Amino acid sequence: MALRKGEKRMTYEEAKQKLMPVGQEHLLQYFEELGEEEKKSLLKQIEDLDLSLLNLIEGGVKEPLGAVTLEEIAAKREHYEEIGLQAIYDCKVGAVLLAGGQGTRLGLDKPKGMLNVGVTKELYLFEQLIHNLMQVKEKANAWIPLFIMTSEKNNDDTTQFFKEHDYFGYNKDYVFFFVQEMAPSVSYDGKIYMEGKAKLSTSPNGNGGWFSSLAKAGLLDKIDELGVEWLNVFSVDNV
């Protein structure tokens, strides 16, 4: 864990000062039992920890967003479709595919999107989703920027899968991958769990974290560069 020139590492005291105000000092309870490399690793994890996420546990008011009803959409379907296709043609619309999950519950130890759901031929979830997008592309006569959220665990498999299948015919210049952020795992009373004496317990930050993950990957600049104003977000399950 070499430091770059001029880079300063968090000290034990600094870590303690960061954790105490939010009641997380238990993360340092085994510090003196650790070897030097383990100490460095733990301090780095604490330094990178975004403690503001703990505020989300407090919740708040949850209520449905206002939305156009299905009846209203049906009554003005042609009008809405015309507006939508024009927006896609003008590259004002992008798609975000949430594909960070594994297919474990489906008997597949690979990214869920690699599941073959074909009956008489091979048909992968990723492939069908691209087919769906291609139908819109053909109708609008324009490529739609596609942002695919992977996870630390499946990013390599996912990107390689798309390359091996030549992006299922999609224009690869309009496909952008980004990795889902990890967030600390906490108990019901907000205490961060530890996997070991020198390792914090983390898990993917959920589908709700797609925007912060996309922003951290630096893709907001790409979105601005392309002129995208609206993003359609959907899950890899939703074929």
Side-chain angles (χ1 to χ4, degrees):
M1 194 181 293
L3 288 175
R4 292 189 295 271
K5 188 176 181 180
E7 186 178 0
K8 184 178 179 295
R9 179 184 287 131
M10 174 176 272
T11 65
Y12 172 82
E13 286 303 321
E14 289 170 337
K16 192 173 181 180
Q17 289 171 19
K18 178 178 181 176
L19 297 173
M20 285 187 69
V22 290
Q24 302 293 340
E25 61 270 25
H26 64 281
L27 300 179
L28 292 167
Q29 62 184 312
Y30 302 110
F31 191 79
E32 294 306 323
E33 300 177 24
L34 305 177
E36 285 306 309
E37 288 303 312
E38 288 179 315
K39 287 180 178 179
K40 292 176 186 177
S41 174
L42 179 58
L43 290 174
K44 182 67 169 64
Q45 292 170 68
I46 294 172
E47 183 176 13
D48 293 341
L49 199 56
D50 181 3
L51 292 173
S52 68
L53 293 173
L54 299 176
N55 297 330
L56 300 176
I57 299 171
E58 298 173 8
V61 178
K62 298 178 178 66
E63 57 187 16
L65 294 171
V68 181
T69 66
L70 292 174
E71 290 78 11
E72 289 171 323
I73 293 172
K76 297 182 178 180
R77 185 177 184 86
E78 289 184 8
H79 175 64
Y80 287 140
E81 187 168 309
E82 181 182 347
I83 293 173
L85 291 174
Q86 185 62 51
I88 292 170
Y89 182 79
D90 294 336
C91 202
K92 291 184 178 180
V93 179
V96 179
L97 171 57
L98 308 179
Q102 292 290 97
T104 310
R105 285 178 294 178
L106 301 172
L108 178 71
D109 189 26
K110 289 287 183 181
K112 194 181 294 183
M114 290 173 60
L115 181 68
N116 177 17
V117 294
V119 178
T120 59
K121 63 177 182 178
E122 284 189 341
L123 180 65
Y124 304 102
L125 290 182
F126 280 138
E127 182 179 8
Q128 182 59 48
L129 288 164
I130 293 297
H131 287 175
N132 297 347
L133 209 54
M134 288 286 280
Q135 288 179 1
V136 181
K137 178 263 176 192
E138 294 299 328
K139 205 164 188 177
N141 194 29
W143 293 103
I144 304 163
L146 173 60
F147 302 89
I148 301 176
M149 185 176 76
T150 64
S151 65
E152 289 181 356
K153 186 171 185 179
N154 78 10
N155 183 67
D156 290 346
D157 283 339
T158 301
T159 54
Q160 187 60 35
F161 189 70
F162 270 85
K163 288 175 184 176
E164 288 174 356
H165 291 84
D166 197 24
Y167 294 78
F168 301 103
Y170 210 75
N171 187 338
K172 66 179 180 180
D173 293 337
Y174 284 82
V175 180
F176 310 92
F177 296 94
F178 65 100
V179 178
Q180 185 175 17
E181 289 183 282
M182 302 294 284
S185 304
V186 299
S187 62
Y188 283 109
D189 59 355
K191 296 293 185 182
I192 297 173
Y193 286 122
M194 298 190 74
E195 287 185 18
K197 294 181 178 181
K199 184 172 175 56
L200 308 189
S201 176
T202 59
S203 58
N205 66 357
N207 283 349
W210 69 266
F211 185 80
S212 63
S213 299
L214 183 143
K216 189 173 182 179
L219 286 173
L220 290 185
D221 290 339
K222 175 56 68 175
I223 286 173
D224 288 339
E225 176 191 322
L226 292 168
V228 171
E229 298 179 14
W230 297 284
L231 293 171
N232 181 27
V233 185
F234 54 97
S235 169
V236 69
D237 309 278
N238 189 9
V239 295

